Amino acid sequence: MATWIPSALEAQVVQRLLVSTSDDGMLTSPRVRAALRDGGAAMAYENGGLFARVLDDLLVILDDPRLVEIDVVDAAAELVGAVASFTVPTGAAPHTPSA
């Protein structure tokens, strides 16, 4: 299994998410939507669109008041933090997962 490394665009989107949560630490659906908009259509193609799909799937949870619990929001924030901890080595091509 290949290791996924965020592309420069994905890393930029994650940084925007981190900045948007810096005041209250809450990853909300409006913040995730804004990050996806910032990434634009290119997000669907970066690394096979994996991170965009993860964020899109996260919206389903964050939009449903029955599903949102503090643990889920904390786990989502940890996911974003974990992605932010990756760095793209200079000259490295992003990984494209095989279907």
Side-chain angles (χ1 to χ4, degrees), residues 12-67:
Q12 181 181 17
V13 167
V14 166
Q15 289 303 316
R16 289 182 183 175
L17 277 171
L18 290 175
V19 167
S20 74
T21 62
S22 64
D23 287 341
D24 60 12
M26 297 298 289
L27 190 61
T28 63
S29 58
R31 291 172 177 168
V32 172
R33 274 193 184 80
L36 282 168
R37 271 192 310 274
D38 288 346
M43 283 280 293
Y45 300 100
E46 294 286 320
N47 280 330
L50 180 63
F51 188 57
R53 284 193 309 271
V54 167
L55 292 178
D56 191 53
D57 289 345
L58 183 58
L59 284 174
V60 173
I61 295 166
L62 294 174
D63 282 341
D64 189 335
R66 296 169 298 155
L67 297 178

Side-chain angles (χ1 to χ4, degrees), residues 73-97:
V73 175
D74 285 348
E78 286 179 28
L79 170 69
V80 170
V83 172
S85 71
F86 282 93
T87 57
V88 179
T90 305
H95 170 68
T96 304

